[in-house]
Amino acid sequence: MELKAHFSDLHKVIIGHLEQAETEIIGAIAWFTDRDIFDVLCRKAQSGVKVAIALIGDEINQGRGGLNFQRLENLGGQVIFLPPGSRDEPTMHHKFCVIDGLTVINGSYNWSHKARSNDENIMVATDAAAFAAKYLAAFEGVAARAGQGSFVIADTDAARRRLEMIRNLIMLGEEADVAQQLGKLRPVAEVLQLERIIDALDNGEYRLALEAIETYLRRATAIVVAGQYEIPRLRLQLEALELRLESITDEKAELERRLITFNRRHDDALGGLIQRVLQARAVHARLLANANTQDAESAAAEAAAEEAERAYEEYAEQHEELQHTEPLPRLDAEAEQELKQLYRKSCRLCHPDKFGDDMKERAHTVFVELQAAYRSNDLAWLREIHDTLKAGGLPDARSHTLGEVESLRAAIAELEYAIARLVAELRELQASDAIRMMTAAGATEADWPVFFECRRKDLETQLERIEQDIHALQTEETVTP
């Protein structure tokens, strides 16, 4: 499974993946008003792709001026509307789409024009059949709530009631009527673990079937009383949040690694020249301060000189430190790809926000080491960390281990907070001057030398002009009595 977080042009990203659909598009989106996305779904349905979407049946989706969902149904698509509930408590919060059973798109983004201007993000999981299957099952649950019968619905409450009917029929001696009820259970037998009951009924072993039904009903009743029916839904929600966390972490780590690499290459190419420019600026500012005798202007000139001298000293120290640091390895395309893949796989195994308090500190220690290896382009170190984790260094994340409703809800709230914090950090990084410069330099390291050469010429021009100004000031001091 490959994960990718997206933060801009989200409707275009969604459309790009929808356009690639070959067999089916299944989605549950709380609110859907984006006509561009809707037109893609219509074209896909018309071409024979199975399209099924579930929406909240409120004024946003069904009011005047909304999308013509009848058009999609006329083209062979299926549109399911759920009761709206209230504004504060809508009946559905889903925002996911499954394409060809392999690609999952989910996140905070509704398919609406308003969402285009919101600060939203999505995650795209590709080659993710197992993860997609969980969302397809979630869609089946949504469809069942709306009374749609086009999907095989694993509705535990319905199955429990049907088993009660079969039990009563057997106890009344009306075994001939069991077959009709049994036919309703067969499609969900594997999902709900009813095989033993169905085998006994098929073989006419009604006493054995009654015992198995009683055992199943007692367990199902205990589960309902304890609220355990929510666990699969909450686990899926937590797993989706864990994957979103991983994808955003990957995005931030890759941006930071590229920035570190860019800064090192930039310093190697231009550090000495930048230091000379800053030194010349400091000398020029000091000469101006010394030459200024008027009180008001003198104070401003002195402050400017001190700032220029401070900038020069700080940069000189930074440049000196980088020059004595171990050179950053240069990776070819194959090594670069392996580095990224190993980091993503390792991050999935040890991200500290995926674990409870008992394991968080240990995971954090490994995660810090992982980040250091990635940022330093140390492929050998990263291989070692990944091999250790793969051998069973840490247990499964909470989405696979928690079994209580309240603990799952607490983990979900904690992870939502962690994701919001991480997104804010990533947004701040993306908006920084350093990232803007790196972006201007080019998309890959191979593009940077051209940018560096252009900067070199500009810096040399600046240095020449400042040195001329310094010479003029020094000459003026010499001739002034």
Side-chain angles (χ1 to χ4, degrees):
M1 178 167 58
E2 293 292 328
L3 304 175
K4 175 65 176 175
H6 296 272
F7 300 87
S8 60
D9 295 328
L10 301 186
H11 69 290
K12 294 181 180 179
V13 174
I14 293 169
I15 286 172
H17 285 281
L18 293 176
E19 292 280 17
Q20 298 176 35
E22 296 180 354
T23 58
E24 67 176 15
I25 298 170
I26 309 296
I29 310 295
W31 293 288
F32 186 4
T33 62
D34 192 310
R35 294 187 184 279
D36 293 339
I37 297 178
F38 181 70
D39 287 342
V40 175
L41 293 185
C42 288
R43 289 198 302 272
K44 284 296 178 178
Q46 189 172 24
S47 70
V49 172
K50 176 182 177 180
V51 176
I53 56 172
L55 313 168
I56 296 175
D58 63 1
E59 71 281 0
I60 296 176
N61 289 323
Q62 293 186 297
R64 293 182 60 184
L67 299 175
N68 182 10
F69 291 108
Q70 186 60 52
R71 174 189 166 203
L72 179 57
E73 292 190 320
N74 292 341
L75 293 170
Q78 181 180 14
V79 182
I80 300 171
F81 289 106
L82 277 78
S86 67
R87 174 72 69 175
D88 295 330
E89 291 292 335
T91 55
M92 183 181 71
H93 295 274
H94 287 306
K95 303 175 186 67
F96 73 79
C97 175
V98 180
I99 300 171
D100 295 344
L102 292 173
T103 298
V104 176
I105 303 173
N106 74 349
S108 62
Y109 187 79
N110 277 298
W111 291 5
S112 66
H113 276 288
K114 181 180 178 182
R116 291 190 186 185
S117 58
N118 293 344
D119 186 12
E120 310 286 0
N121 61 85
I122 60 173
M123 178 200 72
V124 179
T126 53
D127 194 22
F131 187 51
K134 295 177 182 180
Y135 270 103
L136 291 174
F139 184 87
E140 290 176 353
V142 170
R145 287 164 56 194
Q148 300 290 326
S150 300
F151 296 85
V152 176
I153 310 301
D155 187 333
T156 54
D157 287 340
R160 180 168 51 83
R161 291 192 298 270
R162 205 167 296 282
L163 286 170
E164 289 172 348
M165 292 174 63
I166 291 174
R167 178 192 61 188
N168 294 339
L169 288 170
I170 294 173
M171 293 178 68
L172 290 170
E174 298 177 3
E175 290 86 353
D177 295 331
V178 168
Q180 182 180 359
Q181 302 301 325
L182 194 57
K184 304 288 187 179
L185 290 176
R186 292 188 191 278
V188 297
E190 183 177 356
V191 175
L192 299 181
Q193 299 179 339
L194 302 174
E195 295 96 332
R196 182 185 173 196
I197 295 173
I198 290 177
D199 286 345
L201 291 171
D202 284 340
N203 295 327
E205 298 172 344
Y206 295 113
R207 182 176 178 180
L208 181 61
L210 283 174
E211 293 175 357
I213 289 172
E214 289 295 342
T215 300
Y216 183 92
L217 291 176
R218 280 196 302 272
R219 187 175 73 247
T221 301
I223 286 174
V224 170
V225 169
Q228 300 298 299
Y229 63 89
E230 287 192 76
I231 285 179
R233 178 182 65 81
L234 293 173
R235 276 186 168 172
L236 177 58
Q237 185 178 353
L238 182 57
E239 182 178 2
L241 288 171
E242 288 173 351
L243 292 176
R244 280 182 64 197
L245 178 75
E246 290 170 21
S247 65
I248 297 168
T249 300
D250 291 348
E251 190 77 12
K252 183 170 180 281
E254 173 59 14
L255 195 58
E256 290 172 335
R257 185 181 73 90
R258 289 188 67 238
L259 183 58
I260 290 170
T261 303
F262 176 80
N263 287 339
R264 292 289 297 274
R265 304 293 184 242
H266 185 269
D267 187 78
D268 290 342
L270 301 172
L273 180 56
I274 292 173
Q275 184 173 335
R276 289 174 60 197
V277 170
L278 292 174
Q279 184 179 28
R281 287 177 181 171
V283 171
H284 182 255
R286 176 53 60 191
L287 287 171
L288 287 173
N290 292 340
N292 205 313
T293 58
Q294 297 183 19
D295 291 343
E297 295 181 2
S298 176
E302 178 64 27
E306 291 177 357
E307 177 63 28
E309 289 165 349
R310 184 163 49 251
Y312 163 66
E313 290 168 1
E314 289 176 356
Y315 188 86
E317 182 179 349
Q318 174 186 313
H319 176 59
E320 182 72 14
E321 183 179 339
L322 286 175
Q323 289 301 300
H324 289 86
T325 303
E326 189 73 21
L328 201 62
R330 293 181 181 271
L331 304 176
D332 59 24
E334 184 177 348
E336 177 87 5
Q337 183 66 19
E338 183 183 359
L339 186 85
K340 292 179 181 179
Q341 289 179 346
L342 285 175
Y343 173 79
R344 290 168 182 168
K345 291 176 181 178
S346 300
C347 180
R348 195 168 301 167
L349 295 170
C350 72
H351 198 297
D353 286 326
K354 294 171 58 177
F355 296 91
D357 292 338
D358 57 331
M359 292 300 303
K360 195 178 290 291
E361 184 175 349
R362 180 183 168 194
H364 178 74
T365 300
V366 179
F367 188 68
V368 169
E369 188 177 357
L370 175 66
Q371 296 285 83
Y374 190 54
R375 290 171 178 171
S376 59
N377 282 1
D378 195 328
L379 187 53
W381 190 9
L382 205 53
R383 285 172 181 152
E384 182 181 339
I385 293 171
H386 178 258
D387 288 345
T388 301
L389 289 169
K390 193 175 180 182
L394 288 170
D396 287 337
R398 288 180 291 181
S399 60
H400 295 96
T401 58
L402 293 180
E404 297 181 0
V405 171
E406 290 308 315
S407 60
L408 281 164
R409 286 174 176 163
I412 287 169
E414 181 184 333
L415 214 51
E416 286 175 337
Y417 175 78
I419 289 172
R421 184 192 65 228
L422 187 62
V423 168
E425 292 172 357
L426 180 56
R427 294 285 192 190
E428 184 177 356
L429 179 61
Q430 290 170 330
S432 67
D433 292 338
I435 293 297
R436 279 197 286 267
M437 179 185 288
M438 183 180 71
T439 302
T444 67
E445 188 172 344
D447 300 323
W448 296 346
V450 174
F451 176 79
F452 295 157
E453 185 57 31
C454 290
R455 283 216 72 200
R456 174 181 295 281
K457 293 177 181 178
D458 180 58
L459 288 166
E460 288 173 344
T461 300
Q462 289 183 44
L463 181 60
E464 182 180 356
R465 185 176 64 251
I466 297 169
E467 288 177 339
Q468 288 172 354
D469 292 341
I470 290 172
H471 179 71
L473 287 170
Q474 290 172 335
T475 301
E476 184 178 338
E477 282 184 351
T478 302
V479 300
T480 301

